[in-house]
Amino acid sequence: MSARSGLILLVTNKRDVTTDYVVLEMRRRGLGFIRLNTEDLPQHEIAMVDGDPSNLTLIGPCGELSLADVTGAYYRRPGNIEVSGSAAVAEYIVAEWSAIVRSLWNALEGRWLNSPFSILRAEDKPRQLTAARRVGLQIPGTLVTNAFVQARAFLAEGPMVAKPLRHALINDGEIGSVVFTSRVDALDAVDADGFRRAPMILQREISKRSDIRLLVVDDRVFATRILSQAYDETQVDWRKGVRRDLDHEAMELPAEVASACISVTRDLGLRFAAIDLVEDPDGRFWFLEANPNGQWAWIEQRTGAPVTAAIVDALCAGEPT
C-alpha cells in the first residue's frame, strides 16, 4: 500500500466518541478531512451534475464536500436523518435523503474502510462462522433455530448458551434493554411458545480462561485479553453488568490464530473487524463472531494499543491491492 494525500470523509453521528479519536489524530497529523454527521443531512445543499454521483457536492454543517476530492472514507455508525414536519412529510423527506445516501455510498466504493454494503453483508453471523471454519478456526457447536424440540435435544448433549441472531437491543420506546449471551440450564414445556417466536443462536458453552477482543485493521492486529472470569455476572458475557473494573491486558495471539482472523476479515469483504474469541483453560482459542463496525476506543484507553493511528494509516493508504 502506498500513502495518498487527499480528503478523508468520516461518516458518523454527532455523539460518536470513537470518531472523536480519529478526528484528533487527523488534526495531529495535519490531514484534510470532513466529518459528516448524517442527522444533519437535510441542512445541506446538494448538487449532482449530470446526475453523476462522482460529481456530488454537499454544502452545509459539514463544510464543503466534493466526492471527487475524497480518497478515503470511514463509515462509523451514522445517525438517523433528522427532519421536522408532519409524519407524512417527514417520511417523504427522509426517503429522498436516504436515496442520496445510497448514491453517496455507491460512489465511494473502493475508498471505504469497510463499505456500508460490505458491513451489511458481514453482519450475517452464520456467514461469519462459515468463514472462520473455512480458515481452520475452532467454532463451538452451533444450532440456529426456533424449534423447541431441536433446542432441547441440543441442550441434552451438553452445556449451551443462547444469543441473538441479529439484534441485541429490545427498544421499548424509552431506554430499551440489551439481550446478552446467556447460559441455558433447562428448557421446559412452558418455554415452547415463547421459544418459537424468533430464531436464535444456540452454542455449546466453552469453559473460559478469558475473553479476547481482537481488532483487525488491514494486516495489523491488536489483541486484548479480558479477564471476564473474575466476576460472576461477566463469566458468560463480559459486557453484562457494565463493570469498569474488568482487567484488560494487551496480548499477542499465536501467529496462526492472528493470521486466520485476518483471513476471516478479508473473506467477509472487510478491512476492519472487531472479533470476539474465547480462550479456554487449555489455551485454545475459539471464534465466536466478528463485528464489522465494532467499538474499539475503550481498548485504546485501557491498553494503549495504537488503533486510532492504524485506522488513520489505513484511510490514508487507500484500499489494498
Side-chain angles (χ1 to χ4, degrees), residues 229-241:
Q229 303 309 287
Y231 304 98
D232 290 342
E233 67 267 35
T234 59
Q235 288 181 356
V236 177
D237 190 330
W238 60 266
R239 301 166 302 167
K240 194 171 184 179

Side-chain angles (χ1 to χ4, degrees), residues 32-175:
F33 72 93
I34 283 181
R35 176 173 180 159
L36 176 61
N37 298 318
T38 50
E39 304 100 312
D40 296 336
L41 268 171
Q43 300 177 39
H44 292 75
E45 291 184 350
I46 181 175
M48 196 188 301
V49 178
D50 294 328
D52 182 353
S54 65
N55 293 329
L56 187 151
T57 59
L58 280 175
I59 300 175
C62 77
E64 296 187 15
L65 170 64
S66 172
L67 287 200
D69 297 331
V70 175
T71 54
Y74 187 21
Y75 183 89
R76 173 63 212 166
R77 304 201 175 188
N80 294 326
I81 295 168
E82 295 178 353
V83 296
S84 58
S86 69
V89 170
E91 182 180 4
Y92 173 82
I93 294 171
V94 168
E96 294 300 290
W97 277 104
S98 296
I100 291 296
V101 163
R102 286 192 294 274
S103 293
L104 193 157
W105 297 171
N106 275 313
L108 290 172
E109 196 65 34
R111 286 174 273 180
W112 289 106
L113 181 68
N114 285 5
S115 155
F117 305 112
S118 294
I119 289 172
L120 181 63
R121 292 190 294 270
E123 287 174 339
D124 180 347
K125 290 181 181 177
R127 181 186 172 205
Q128 297 173 13
L129 294 172
T130 300
R133 191 179 297 111
R134 185 160 46 237
V135 299
L137 287 167
Q138 296 186 102
I139 309 295
T142 301
L143 175 65
V144 179
T145 189
N146 72 328
F148 180 74
V149 172
Q150 291 202 37
R152 193 153 63 173
F154 189 74
L155 176 59
E157 295 172 358
M160 82 176 187
V161 297
K163 63 183 182 181
L165 187 60
R166 176 65 179 88
H167 288 291
L169 179 67
I170 297 176
N171 188 347
D172 62 5
E174 296 181 1
I175 297 175

Side-chain angles (χ1 to χ4, degrees), residues 248-271:
H248 289 53
E249 301 174 349
M251 65 172 296
E252 187 170 336
L253 282 172
E256 65 274 13
V257 176
S259 178
C261 289
I262 292 172
S263 295
V264 167
T265 303
R266 291 175 179 167
D267 197 351
L268 293 172
L270 305 173
R271 299 175 59 196

